[in-house]
């Protein structure tokens, strides 16, 4: 044991360490108390300090030695941790520097941008259809008329087709002797023929006055079409039997209703300028009907008189149901009526209203039972403060004349008026109700309307789950369009069918011709493949004849297509009944009711007569359609359509119920369908978005629904194959059932068509046809200097809004300018005071 002169005696271990005499050795010493040195460390000591004895060097070795590799690994890890920490600090510091630099740069850029002003964003790339050229022959003049079979339509044509010269010789200088006479258009049955009178009652003519002196003028047309006029892009005249070999100018179409002559002569005072050659032919033709003074025609009374004269043609009227909002009687009138009926029956009289008694009766001097005609109500949807333009008035006169009066009362035109102010007490006081209704319609249509409100619908159809889908109430006019139609049908049992009609619909042809042909065609459609055909646009230039189209749809349904929506179809599950699932790409055709799990069972559900395979396209033929629409009945499931999930009251825990939809609500609904819709909303409290509701109920209950492929025109030169690929881009060649559907985010493709809820071409074509300038083209001077006024075939147009006709030749006083003029027979001062207190008037 050695000794240090300053610190006293040292231990052997201290002495050895002291003899090492340097800092590293002290570190090793300190480390040796924490962890045993490794053999490598020992070897290093032996080499470095060879003068030390083995005993001395081993005197500090622990008695229990640890693993010989741990010390080296620990040192390495310690050094690695230090290295990582240094790199992490460097990275964090760099990130902070970059962040501060970016803040300064963004602040600098923002200051520069404020100095330079706002920067225009790059406009998105326009859709492909906007690059197609506009078609030019829609606006051809009446001077270029030629036979339909001689016309070479501007569209559709294949890209390599070149136009051929026409045989028409009337193009060029105007020839005052070349314009043919217009011809009256008469699409009605021969009411006086033996074939008609032996089947139906005699039809009595109706007039525009109570004395039976003012005859109803008829629409006039010209034979032929204007040179190069395009064919429809979708739909067809031929399918329905609509005439496509004639055209209508504005005077022949609208002249019978006050267009083209002055206010002083009873007209509208519009259409007094522009190309008027031949405009007066309709008043000097074989019919010799003079211009009608429409200033005092009471349309409500005229309709009622016409229906009364022809009442034997229809089933006996049923008394309307009492309005439950006004009904708080001591005793129900219905109870009294039942008692009286029971007394009559007990006395031996026959009750014709009891089940089993035919509504068809043998008439005196007639040896056969005559068929009773169905009655149809056309419900024109409007609202209480709608501003009626002269063009609107002409449109409404044409509806009443052509559908109601000239048919002998087969139709009735009625206004369903929406009162937007729910706080208006129209249900509390009949005088308030009458006042609001009177002010809601032009004077000539007084007595032809019924009021409704959203609060009224919420009371009738209470209990509907309120989801405020897209911030819209379930009872509102947008989501619940058909609620007032359902209730109107419930309250008016005399009518068999109801047209839900919009104010912005126009037709260049004759109304009765259109609806009669559409209804007859729908009645003749077989049930087999009907829902599948309903779900596709018919494009004649691609699909060929209607028979070809029908067979193509059958193949697409049964075999499927290579559509991307079929990518995962091989993973489909077996059918619920345990049978094998259909082929991977095929669709299961709709055959009978397609019911959701929680649907209310109904005794009127339509069950197929045979299986799908055994049917030979016979089931459903000559069956009236319960629903007729003018756009495809597409499957919204899987599409980007905004309202596909607007379903109320159904069990949606596993999936949404089966659905179909048709854009725009212009449609015909049977009384049976409306009663079922009413019942579904009242009892199980089911509801869907307006454009899904009628079609889906028809699907669930097996009712007959038909899409009528009426002619739709398009304003640009679309390649026909591309048109089909866009419009029928859904699953298996349909227009719905997939994200690629045109309904939803791709609806902009309808902008250039004549029929959609926001089709721009519809309004432009109507205005040009009326002789007005559109987009700095057309107008009076263009007509006089060119081919004359336009002459269009029968085209169904939607929407047409706010057409301002120039009214000349007299001053028309609007009824609403004098508020008190309609308070005849009342104390005006006291009535106005009371109405002011209730908020009806200011």
């Amino acid at each position: 044991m050695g000794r240090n002169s300053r610190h006293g005696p040292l231990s052997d271990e201290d002495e050895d360490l002291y003899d090492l005499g340097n800092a590293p050795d002290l570190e090793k010493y300190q480390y040796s108390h924490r962890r045993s040195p490794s053999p490598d460390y020992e070897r290093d000591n032996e080499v470095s300090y060879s003068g030390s004895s083995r005993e001395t060097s081993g005197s500090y070795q622990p008695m229990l030695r640890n693993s010989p590799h741990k010390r080296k690994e620990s040192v390495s890890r310690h050094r690695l941790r230090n290295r990582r920490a240094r790199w992490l600090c460097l990275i964090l510091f760099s990130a902070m520097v970059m962040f501060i630099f970016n803040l300064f740069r963004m602040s600098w850029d923002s200051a520069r941008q404020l100095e330079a002003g706002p920067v225009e964003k790059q406009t998105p790339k326009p859709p492909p259809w906007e690059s197609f050229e506009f078609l030019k022959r829609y606006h051809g003049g009446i001077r270029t008329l030629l036979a339909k079979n001689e016309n070479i339509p501007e569209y559709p044509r294949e890209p390599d087709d070149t136009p051929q010269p026409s045989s028409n010789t009337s193009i060029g200088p105007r020839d005052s002797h070349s314009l043919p006479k217009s011809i009256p258009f008469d699409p009605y049955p021969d009411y006086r023929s033996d074939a008609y009178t032996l089947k139906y009652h005699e039809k009595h003519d109706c007039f525009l006055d109570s004395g039976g002196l003012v005859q109803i003028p008829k629409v006039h047309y010209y034979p032929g079409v204007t040179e190069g006029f395009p064919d429809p892009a979708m739909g067809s005249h031929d399918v329905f039997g609509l005439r496509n070999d004639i055209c209508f100018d504005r005077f022949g179409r609208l002249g019978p209703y006050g267009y083209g002559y002055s206010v002083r002569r009873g007209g509208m005072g519009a259409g007094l300028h522009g190309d008027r050659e031949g405009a007066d032919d309709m008043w000097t033709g074989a019919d010799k009907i003079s211009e009608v003074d429409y200033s005092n025609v009471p349309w409500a009374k005229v309709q009622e008189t016409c229906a009364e004269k022809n009442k034997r043609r229809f089933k006996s009227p049923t008394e309307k149901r009492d309005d439950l909002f006004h009904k708080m009687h001591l005793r129900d009138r219905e109870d009294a009526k039942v008692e009286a009926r029971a007394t009559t029956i007990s006395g031996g009289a026959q009750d014709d209203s009891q089940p089993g008694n035919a509504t068809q009766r043998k008439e005196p001097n007639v040896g056969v039972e005559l068929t009773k005609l169905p009655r149809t109500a056309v419900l024109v949807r409007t609202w209480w403060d709608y501003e009626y333009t002269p063009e609107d008035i002409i449109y409404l006169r044409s509806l009443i004349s052509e559908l109601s009066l000239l048919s002998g009362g087969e139709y009735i035109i009625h206004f369903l008026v929406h009162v937007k102010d729910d706080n208006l007490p129209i249900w509390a006081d009949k005088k308030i109700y009458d006042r609001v209704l009177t002010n809601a319609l032009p004077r000539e249509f007084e007595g032809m309307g019924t009021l409704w409100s959203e609060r009224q619908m919420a009371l009738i159809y209470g209990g509907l789950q309120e989801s405020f889908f897209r911030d819209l109430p379930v009872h509102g006019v947008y989501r619940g369009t058909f609620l007032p139609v359902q209730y109107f049908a419930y309250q008016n049992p005399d009518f068999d069918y109801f047209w839900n009609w919009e104010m912005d619909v126009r037709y260049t042809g004759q109304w009765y011709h259109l609806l009669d042909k559409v209804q007859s065609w729908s009645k003749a459609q077989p049930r087999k493949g009907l829902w599948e055909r309903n779900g596709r646009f018919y494009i004649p230039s691609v699909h060929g004849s209607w028979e070809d189209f029908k067979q193509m749809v059958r193949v697409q349904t049964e075999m499927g297509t290579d559509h991307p929506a079929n990518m995962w179809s091989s993973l489909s599950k077996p059918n619920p009944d345990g049978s094998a699932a259909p082929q991977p790409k095929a669709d299961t055709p709709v055959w009978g009711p397609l019911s959701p799990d929680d649907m209310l069972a109904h005794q009127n559900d339509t069950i197929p007569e045979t299986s799908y395979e055994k049917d030979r396209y016979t089931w459903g033929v000559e069956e009236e359609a319960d629903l007729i629409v003018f756009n495809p009945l597409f499957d919204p499931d899987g599409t980007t359509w905004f309202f596909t999930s607007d379903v109320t009251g159904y069990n949606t825990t596993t999936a949404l119920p089966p659905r179909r939809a048709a854009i725009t609500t212009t449609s015909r609904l049977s009384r049976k369908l409306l009663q079922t819709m009413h019942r579904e909303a009242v009892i199980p409290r089911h509801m869907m978005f307006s454009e899904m509701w009628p079609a889906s109920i028809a699907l669930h209950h097996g009712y007959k629904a038909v899409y009528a492929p009426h002619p739709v025109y398009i304003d640009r030169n679309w390649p026909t194959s591309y048109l089909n690929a866009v419009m029928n881009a859904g699953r298996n060649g349909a227009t719905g059932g997939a994200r690629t559907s045109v309904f939803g985010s791709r609806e902009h493709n309808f902008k250039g068509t004549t029929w959609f809820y926001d089709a721009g071409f519809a309004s432009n074509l109507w205005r040009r046809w009326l002789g007005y300038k559109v987009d700095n083209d057309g107008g009076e001077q263009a007509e006089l200097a060119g081919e004359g006024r336009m002459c269009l075939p029968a085209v169904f147009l939607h929407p047409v809004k706010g057409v301002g006709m120039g009214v000349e030749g007299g001053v028309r006083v609007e009824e609403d300018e004098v508020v008190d003029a309609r308070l005849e027979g009342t104390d005006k001062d006291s009535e106005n005071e009371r109405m002011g207190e209730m908020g009806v008037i200011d």
Side-chain angles (χ1 to χ4, degrees):
M1 178 180 295
R3 178 180 295 271
N4 185 283
S5 61
R6 296 182 58 184
H7 299 286
L10 299 175
S11 65
D12 294 339
E13 182 178 354
D14 292 340
E15 185 177 353
D16 291 339
L17 291 173
Y18 183 79
D19 290 340
L20 297 176
N22 51 51
D25 291 334
L26 290 175
E27 292 177 359
K28 295 175 184 177
Y29 165 72
Q30 295 172 357
Y31 188 83
S32 67
H33 288 279
R34 295 191 301 269
R35 189 178 299 275
S36 300
S38 64
D40 293 337
Y41 177 75
E42 294 178 5
R43 286 194 297 270
D44 291 341
N45 284 342
E46 290 178 1
V47 173
S48 302
Y49 308 107
S50 57
S52 301
S53 65
R54 185 173 298 273
E55 291 78 11
T56 302
S57 62
S59 63
Y60 58 83
Q61 297 294 330
M63 295 180 65
L64 298 176
R65 303 185 62 180
N66 295 328
S67 172
H69 300 288
K70 286 187 177 180
R71 177 177 178 88
K72 183 176 180 179
E73 291 177 357
S74 300
V75 174
S76 301
R77 289 177 182 175
H78 180 70
R79 293 174 180 174
L80 182 60
R81 282 197 298 269
N82 291 341
R83 188 179 300 112
R84 287 177 177 174
R86 288 194 297 270
W87 278 109
L88 179 61
C89 291
L90 179 62
I91 292 172
L92 292 175
F93 177 76
S94 301
M96 291 179 63
V97 171
M98 293 297 295
F99 177 71
I100 296 172
F101 173 77
N102 284 331
L103 286 178
F104 278 108
R105 184 178 61 82
M106 292 168 64
S107 177
W108 176 260
D109 291 343
S110 178
R112 293 288 299 275
Q113 183 174 348
L114 289 175
E115 294 177 1
V119 179
E120 294 183 1
K121 294 183 179 180
Q122 186 176 2
T123 57
K125 186 178 180 180
W129 62 267
E130 291 190 8
S131 64
F132 302 147
E133 293 184 358
F134 282 100
L135 300 174
K136 300 178 177 61
R137 294 308 303 168
Y138 283 114
H139 309 130
I142 200 169
R143 288 287 168 190
T144 68
L145 285 176
L146 71 163
K148 170 67 176 176
N149 57 2
E150 296 179 4
N151 182 49
I152 301 176
E154 182 184 17
Y155 181 86
R157 286 180 181 167
E158 295 301 325
D160 55 348
D161 287 350
T162 56
Q164 300 179 8
S166 171
S167 59
N168 180 33
T169 59
S170 63
I171 300 178
R174 295 172 58 86
D175 182 356
S176 60
H177 301 289
S178 63
L179 191 64
K181 293 284 187 180
S182 62
I183 304 171
F185 188 74
D186 188 358
Y188 301 93
D190 187 353
Y191 292 119
R192 290 178 172 81
S193 67
D194 292 340
Y196 187 89
T197 56
L198 289 176
K199 186 175 182 180
Y200 306 104
H201 283 281
E202 179 184 0
K203 180 255 185 184
H204 298 279
D205 292 338
C206 302
F207 300 88
L208 294 173
D209 66 327
S210 57
L213 300 175
V214 182
Q215 298 185 57
I216 305 167
K218 292 182 179 178
V219 169
H220 280 227
Y221 70 92
Y222 287 95
V225 297
T226 56
E227 184 191 29
F229 194 88
D231 286 340
M234 297 173 285
S236 169
H237 292 86
D238 295 334
V239 164
F240 302 102
L242 293 168
R243 294 194 61 178
N244 63 349
D245 59 341
I246 60 176
C247 67
F248 302 85
D249 76 320
R250 58 180 181 264
F251 295 107
R253 177 67 186 93
L254 305 179
Y257 313 111
Y259 182 85
Y261 56 98
S262 68
V263 173
R264 291 186 175 88
R265 289 153 58 189
M268 191 57 69
L272 302 181
H273 299 284
D275 179 21
R276 285 186 53 88
E277 184 175 353
D280 297 327
D281 288 350
M282 62 179 302
W283 307 115
T284 59
D287 292 345
K288 295 182 180 179
I289 297 178
S290 60
E291 295 172 343
V292 176
D293 183 356
Y294 282 100
S295 58
N296 293 305
V297 174
W299 290 103
K301 186 176 181 180
V302 167
Q303 273 202 126
E304 292 172 1
T305 301
C306 184
E308 181 65 22
K309 290 172 65 175
N310 291 278
K311 63 181 181 180
R312 295 175 67 187
R313 304 173 65 209
F314 313 106
K315 66 182 181 181
S316 299
T318 304
E319 185 176 351
K320 295 183 179 180
R321 293 185 172 93
D322 288 328
D323 191 342
L324 299 180
F325 293 94
H326 293 162
K327 179 181 174 183
M328 295 185 69
H329 307 305
L330 180 63
R331 187 180 182 189
D332 197 333
R333 292 188 310 182
E334 291 294 328
D335 293 341
K337 194 160 55 176
V338 169
E339 276 189 15
R341 182 183 304 163
T343 303
T344 303
I345 294 175
S346 63
Q350 184 180 7
D351 180 18
D352 291 329
S353 64
Q354 292 297 314
N357 292 326
T359 58
Q360 301 175 350
R361 303 170 181 167
K362 291 186 178 181
E363 299 297 326
N365 302 322
V366 178
V368 295
E369 290 185 347
L370 300 181
T371 302
K372 299 292 185 179
L373 291 170
R375 292 206 72 193
T376 302
V378 178
L379 301 180
V380 180
R381 305 300 297 274
T382 183
W383 53 94
W384 69 327
D385 56 352
Y386 184 89
E387 296 183 3
Y388 293 85
T389 66
E391 191 266 348
D392 289 327
I393 301 296
I394 290 176
Y395 158 62
L396 293 170
R397 289 172 180 172
S398 70
L399 278 178
I400 302 171
S401 297
E402 296 167 18
L403 292 177
S404 179
L405 304 184
L406 290 173
S407 71
E410 292 180 28
Y411 296 82
I412 185 173
I413 312 302
H414 194 78
F415 294 88
L416 211 52
V417 183
H418 177 205
V419 179
K420 296 182 179 180
D421 185 357
D422 277 335
N423 294 319
L424 208 60
I426 54 178
W427 313 116
D429 192 302
K430 188 176 186 304
K431 289 184 178 179
I432 298 176
Y433 182 97
D434 293 341
R435 165 68 73 83
V436 172
L437 181 56
T438 298
N439 289 331
L441 296 174
R443 180 182 293 275
E444 64 186 83
F445 304 121
E446 286 183 7
M448 295 177 59
T450 297
L451 302 181
W452 73 277
S453 68
E454 294 181 6
R455 182 170 291 176
Q456 177 198 17
M457 294 300 107
L459 180 59
I460 296 171
Y461 297 103
L464 289 177
Q465 181 182 354
E466 183 55 86
S467 61
F468 282 105
F469 188 88
R470 295 188 176 269
D471 298 327
L472 298 169
V474 69
H475 297 97
V477 67
Y478 200 61
R479 292 177 63 198
T481 300
F482 288 98
L483 291 180
V485 180
Q486 295 167 196
Y487 191 63
F488 183 90
Y490 174 78
Q491 292 287 76
N492 296 272
D494 292 347
F495 300 102
D496 303 283
Y497 302 98
F498 302 80
W499 278 101
N500 187 69
W501 208 254
E502 300 182 22
M503 275 296 300
D504 54 1
V505 171
R506 298 294 183 270
Y507 187 52
T508 57
Q510 209 264 9
W511 288 116
Y512 186 91
H513 190 223
L514 172 68
L515 298 192
D516 181 64
K517 293 296 185 182
V518 165
Q519 290 162 182
S520 298
W521 181 82
S522 300
K523 182 178 180 180
Q525 293 307 297
R527 289 284 201 127
K528 187 170 184 176
L530 181 59
W531 282 103
E532 290 69 41
R533 296 191 297 275
N534 286 339
R536 289 161 170 81
F537 282 100
Y538 171 48
I539 303 176
S541 59
V542 175
H543 300 141
S545 68
W546 180 256
E547 187 62 29
D548 293 338
F549 173 71
K550 185 168 67 173
Q551 296 305 320
M552 181 204 73
V553 173
R554 180 185 64 82
V555 172
Q556 289 180 337
T557 302
E558 296 178 0
M559 303 298 294
T561 66
D562 292 329
H563 191 272
N566 290 320
M567 181 180 299
W568 310 109
S569 59
S570 60
L571 302 179
S572 60
K573 298 179 181 179
N575 293 327
D577 60 358
S579 61
Q583 292 298 318
K585 296 180 180 180
D587 289 328
T588 302
V590 176
W591 192 244
L594 190 60
S595 307
D597 295 336
D598 59 339
M599 191 190 76
L600 184 68
H602 200 279
Q603 61 183 359
N604 290 330
D605 288 2
T606 307
I607 307 302
E609 299 174 349
T610 63
S611 66
Y612 178 85
E613 292 75 17
K614 292 181 179 180
D615 182 75
R616 294 296 179 263
Y617 293 95
T618 57
W619 182 45
V621 175
E622 296 305 310
E623 176 191 9
E624 287 283 359
D626 293 294
L627 177 65
I628 301 175
V629 297
F630 292 109
N631 256 334
L633 288 160
F634 71 98
D635 182 358
D637 194 35
T639 69
T640 59
W641 188 51
F642 304 124
F643 300 98
T644 182
S645 59
D646 185 6
V647 174
T648 301
Y650 289 88
N651 182 6
T652 59
T653 54
T654 57
L656 292 171
R659 305 173 312 289
R660 294 294 185 273
I663 305 300
T664 74
T665 59
T666 300
S667 53
R668 193 193 80 163
L669 302 91
S670 70
R671 179 173 186 78
K672 179 176 71 173
L673 175 59
L674 285 170
Q675 286 180 326
T676 304
M677 293 162 60
H678 174 78
R679 189 166 178 259
E680 287 276 349
V682 168
I683 300 177
R685 295 170 179 173
H686 289 163
M687 189 66 186
M688 293 187 189
F689 183 69
S690 299
E691 292 170 325
M692 280 196 297
W693 183 229
S696 297
I697 291 298
L699 179 71
H700 296 169
H701 293 275
Y703 296 163
K704 187 176 182 180
V706 178
Y707 154 54
H710 64 101
V712 176
Y713 292 84
I714 201 162
D715 66 344
R716 298 176 188 248
N717 189 15
W718 287 50
T720 55
S721 58
Y722 178 76
L723 177 69
N724 182 54
V726 170
M727 297 300 177
N728 292 320
R731 176 179 167 85
N732 284 338
T735 191
R739 289 189 60 84
T740 51
S741 170
V742 71
F743 295 111
S745 61
R746 296 173 176 83
E747 289 178 2
H748 59 83
N749 288 282
F750 290 101
K751 289 286 187 181
T753 67
T754 54
W755 186 268
F756 203 62
Y757 77 91
D758 64 345
F761 185 40
S763 182
N764 289 346
L765 190 62
W766 180 260
R767 284 172 164 82
R768 282 293 302 271
W769 179 70
L770 288 175
Y772 298 123
K773 184 177 289 188
V774 177
D775 295 334
N776 204 31
D777 195 9
E780 176 182 345
Q781 297 302 321
E783 288 183 353
L784 296 173
E787 302 173 357
R789 61 186 179 275
M790 289 172 57
C791 194
L792 292 176
V795 185
F796 207 15
L797 301 168
H798 181 268
V800 177
K801 302 175 183 289
V803 178
M805 282 184 171
V807 177
E808 302 179 34
V811 178
R812 178 175 295 276
V813 178
E814 296 297 335
E815 299 82 6
D816 56 359
E817 293 178 3
V818 185
V819 178
D820 290 341
R822 300 181 182 179
L823 294 175
E824 300 176 2
T826 64
D827 184 344
K828 298 176 184 177
D829 294 336
S830 61
E831 181 73 2
N832 282 340
E833 182 180 358
R834 188 165 70 93
M835 297 285 281
E837 291 175 355
M838 294 183 175
V840 179
I841 62 175
D842 296 328

